[in-house]
Amino acid sequence: RPPRSTLFPYTTLFRSTVLSLLAGCATLSTQAVTQTTPERGMIHVSTSANTEIAPDVVEISFAVVTSDTKSMQKATVLNKETSDRVLSTLKSMLKTDNGDYIKTSDFSASPIYSYSGSKRNLDKYEVSNRVIIHTKSLDKVGTMIDKAIEAGATNVDNLTFSVSNYDSQCDQLLGIATQKAKTRAGVVAKNLSANLDGIKSFDLSCNANNNNAPRLYMAKNMLSAVADSAAGSSPTSISGGVVKINANVNATFFVK
């Protein structure tokens, strides 16, 4: 067995070798973690496609508002009687076999107060019943409005024209906009002496708007229309205009 003093240099050498190897491994590990992928070139394009279509569907919101200064029950009974007349009139003009329908959209009953200084005074009890009709009989819209008001409707709050094949129109326009985006990106890449190499991101949207939305009608503006109708004149004239459908595509392509 060698003396203890003889082993010491060998032990020290062994430890130094191990520590050097460990330091080398740590360096390699650090280098592997800090390596980054080279950035890829990208081209971003925005395209759109649109069309204008005559609407074939309309939704009309009618309201019946009644009141009584002493009794909520009387205001409610009066509202029911009037609403029933309006509903009966409108239902007789709808073609349910063609997808037409009517639905209640809102009903409310509440006291109405006025204030004189710090004093609150009960003015009346008010009841409101609102219904929406959905119909494809656009040629009857004016007549529906006149008849509903004649039956007791107090407000025509909204008319919304739309197209029944909206989804298929959107699909077609999105296809056109997508092809335009790919073609445009390819042209840009070619002029840069590059080639498209995959898609980084792709966002799309589709929406519709009525470029000739009709104005809102309130009862006081339509009393004359009812009088004219009773006198034998033509129904209230309503034009649906056109519905413009827009498809938009935002795409980012990789290039190489």
Side-chain angles (χ1 to χ4, degrees):
R1 178 179 180 181
R4 186 177 183 85
S5 58
T6 307
L7 291 173
F8 181 76
Y10 297 101
T11 302
T12 301
L13 179 62
F14 175 75
R15 289 178 177 174
S16 299
T17 304
V18 171
L19 291 174
S20 298
L21 290 173
L22 290 174
C25 290
T27 302
L28 290 174
S29 176
T30 302
Q31 290 175 347
V33 171
T34 57
Q35 284 181 345
T36 57
T37 304
E39 291 188 5
R40 301 174 66 181
M42 291 176 288
I43 293 176
H44 179 80
V45 295
S46 297
T47 58
S48 63
N50 58 74
T51 188
E52 292 184 349
I53 304 175
D56 61 349
V57 178
V58 64
E59 286 195 347
I60 313 173
S61 174
F62 294 93
V64 175
V65 181
T66 55
S67 64
D68 189 89
T69 57
K70 297 181 179 181
S71 170
M72 176 70 79
Q73 182 179 5
K74 288 182 179 179
T76 303
V77 170
L78 178 59
N79 191 282
K80 183 181 184 306
E81 293 173 350
T82 307
S83 295
D84 286 346
R85 287 199 305 271
V86 173
L87 287 172
S88 178
T89 299
L90 292 174
K91 284 180 179 179
S92 67
M93 303 178 71
L94 299 180
K95 297 180 179 179
T96 55
D97 57 344
N98 195 34
D100 292 0
Y101 62 83
I102 188 169
K103 63 180 181 180
T104 299
S105 65
D106 181 60
F107 180 87
S108 64
S110 59
I112 305 298
Y113 297 96
S114 63
Y115 291 86
S116 176
S118 60
K119 185 179 179 181
R120 186 177 72 167
N121 302 305
L122 175 64
D123 281 352
K124 59 184 176 180
Y125 296 96
E126 186 174 273
V127 179
S128 174
N129 187 20
R130 194 178 308 276
V131 297
I132 294 176
I133 65 167
H134 175 101
T135 180
K136 293 182 179 179
S137 301
L138 271 65
D139 58 323
K140 294 183 179 179
V141 171
T143 301
M144 287 180 179
I145 290 175
D146 291 343
K147 294 295 185 182
I149 293 176
E150 189 177 357
T154 54
N155 300 73
V156 182
D157 296 324
N158 194 27
L159 292 89
T160 304
F161 290 91
S162 60
V163 292
S164 58
N165 62 341
Y166 171 78
D167 288 339
S168 61
Q169 289 290 337
C170 271
D171 290 343
Q172 182 178 350
L173 292 174
L174 285 171
I176 295 172
T178 298
Q179 186 58 50
K180 286 171 67 175
K182 182 180 178 182
T183 301
R184 186 168 298 175
V187 170
V188 174
K190 183 178 179 181
N191 281 277
L192 294 173
S193 300
N195 296 305
L196 299 183
D197 188 34
I199 301 172
K200 180 181 184 295
S201 64
F202 196 88
D203 298 318
L204 53 85
S205 64
C206 189
N207 58 77
N209 61 76
N210 191 329
N211 290 333
N212 188 26
R215 63 188 176 91
L216 304 184
Y217 289 83
M218 306 302 290
K220 65 178 182 179
N221 295 330
M222 305 223 292
L223 294 176
S224 60
V226 176
D228 290 342
S229 178
S233 64
S234 60
T236 300
S237 178
I238 301 294
S239 172
V242 295
V243 175
K244 187 173 183 178
I245 303 178
N246 305 284
N248 302 285
V249 168
N250 294 296
T252 301
F253 296 87
F254 286 117
V255 294
K256 62 178 181 179

